[in-house]
Amino acid sequence: MNKKVVFGVGILIIVVVVLLVIFLGDKHLDMTSTQVSTLYSYLGEVDVNRCGGLNQYIGEEVTYDDLSNNNKMCIAYYELSNDEKSSDTHEVTSTNDNDLDICEIGEGIRLVASEGEDTCSFEVIAKEDLEDAYQTVYGNELPEDEEFYIGSNIACYLEEDQYYCGEAETFVQSLTPEATVYRLMDSAIKKLNGDIVISDYYLKVSDNKCYPSGTFEDEITACSDALADDASIQIDEDFVREYGTLYEHVFKENADGSYYWYSSNLK
């Protein structure tokens, strides 16, 4: 084989490799697309009274088993469509020791009526629908828990094959100090192995002090100093990008082609 042939084969190999990298390598996804927005919603909300807030931002790797069943079932609930929820009412049947009017539904389900009302309003969702939503979000089977909270005072209770969601007799409230959380999505990439990885900046500010996670540890002193030095400073995208902590969220593919949350960690 002469030198020209060898050179030509070498060039061909390089071209093939480049094409493989272009067409089979990592691909950037539209961060405003429905798919990316939906996956990002699996991480939760800023409100700590809704599914515990943003549970994946704790400064270390978080996987499925690190999250409570209550918070995971709550996230799945909020992924249900309006068509999968029906509204209903029930008359007040008793009063508890705290003088709250109670509606007793089915076997042992007790919901509270709004003040001044003689009925309880609640939602009914099929267990099957919640199972499907949970499988989509987490790629696992729904836990066997018969109740879970979807707000500080709103809980869902299982009766046969349906959950009844209404005001509970007991409240679940966070005792964490008041804080403002900022998030800025940085990239969304479909990896060569099929995973989708969303990266974002996270910054929590409380009492003019900055933190890199949902805890109040490891203060970002440079950020806190910047806020202390300039009371008029605006916490905008540039500020969050400069002082925020970059996290990476991995989503893997379900059997039906959708993606479920797999892990979150510092990038």
Side-chain angles (χ1 to χ4, degrees):
M1 186 177 295
N2 59 45
K3 293 182 179 180
K4 289 184 179 181
V5 173
V6 172
F7 180 77
V9 172
I11 293 296
L12 179 60
I13 292 174
I14 292 174
V15 170
V16 171
V17 170
V18 170
L19 290 175
L20 288 174
V21 170
I22 293 175
F23 292 104
L24 299 180
D26 296 349
K27 297 179 181 179
H28 285 268
L29 303 177
D30 180 0
M31 291 189 290
T32 64
S33 67
T34 300
Q35 181 186 41
V36 172
S37 298
T38 298
L39 295 181
Y40 202 52
S41 72
Y42 296 172
L43 302 178
E45 299 288 337
V46 171
D47 184 358
V48 295
N49 291 313
R50 175 167 164 173
C51 307
L54 300 168
N55 301 291
Q56 284 87 338
Y57 300 83
I58 64 171
E60 57 188 52
E61 185 176 27
V62 177
T63 59
Y64 176 83
D65 291 333
D66 296 315
L67 304 181
S68 72
N69 286 349
N70 185 93
N71 290 341
K72 288 183 289 194
M73 295 173 77
C74 176
I75 291 289
Y77 165 86
Y78 282 106
E79 291 301 319
L80 295 171
S81 67
N82 290 332
D83 292 339
E84 294 173 309
K85 305 171 186 176
S86 61
S87 299
D88 204 347
T89 59
H90 194 284
E91 71 279 0
V92 169
T93 55
S94 63
T95 302
N96 69 8
D97 294 338
N98 296 317
D99 292 327
L100 295 175
D101 291 330
I102 301 298
C103 301
E104 298 171 301
I105 303 170
E107 296 294 330
I109 295 178
R110 294 166 59 87
L111 300 178
V112 177
S114 298
E115 186 175 356
E117 299 292 332
D118 57 5
T119 61
C120 299
S121 298
F122 55 92
E123 288 183 335
V124 181
I125 60 175
K127 181 182 179 183
E128 182 179 3
D129 289 336
L130 189 66
E131 288 173 336
D132 291 342
Y134 193 93
Q135 177 69 35
T136 297
V137 176
Y138 294 109
N140 279 274
E141 294 184 359
L142 184 73
E144 296 182 358
D145 299 33
E146 295 188 353
E147 66 179 71
F148 62 96
Y149 278 79
I150 58 175
S152 60
N153 66 326
I154 305 297
C156 296
Y157 302 94
L158 181 63
E159 172 75 16
E160 295 183 352
D161 59 351
Q162 291 182 316
Y163 282 95
Y164 296 83
C165 305
E167 186 172 343
E169 290 186 86
T170 56
F171 287 67
V172 176
Q173 293 183 321
S174 171
L175 299 178
T176 58
E178 184 176 347
T180 302
V181 172
Y182 302 88
R183 288 193 298 166
L184 176 63
M185 198 184 303
D186 184 60
S187 66
I189 298 173
K190 185 171 184 179
K191 308 291 287 185
L192 182 59
N193 65 359
D195 291 351
I196 289 179
V197 178
I198 298 177
S199 298
D200 66 345
Y201 288 93
Y202 175 99
L203 179 66
K204 183 171 71 174
V205 179
S206 178
D207 194 25
N208 267 359
K209 294 183 179 180
C210 305
Y211 302 92
S213 69
T215 67
F216 287 86
E217 301 175 356
D218 302 322
E219 180 185 350
I220 307 173
T221 54
C223 176
S224 300
D225 290 344
L227 294 177
D229 293 340
D230 185 357
S232 64
I233 197 168
Q234 296 294 317
I235 302 180
D236 53 16
E237 290 187 3
D238 291 336
F239 188 95
V240 175
R241 193 178 296 276
E242 179 176 358
Y243 294 108
T245 301
L246 194 60
Y247 281 80
E248 184 177 79
H249 312 281
V250 178
F251 300 84
K252 291 188 177 292
E253 193 170 9
N254 277 306
D256 63 1
S258 62
Y259 280 78
Y260 65 93
W261 174 80
Y262 178 76
S263 68
S264 295
N265 57 273
L266 288 171
K267 187 171 182 180

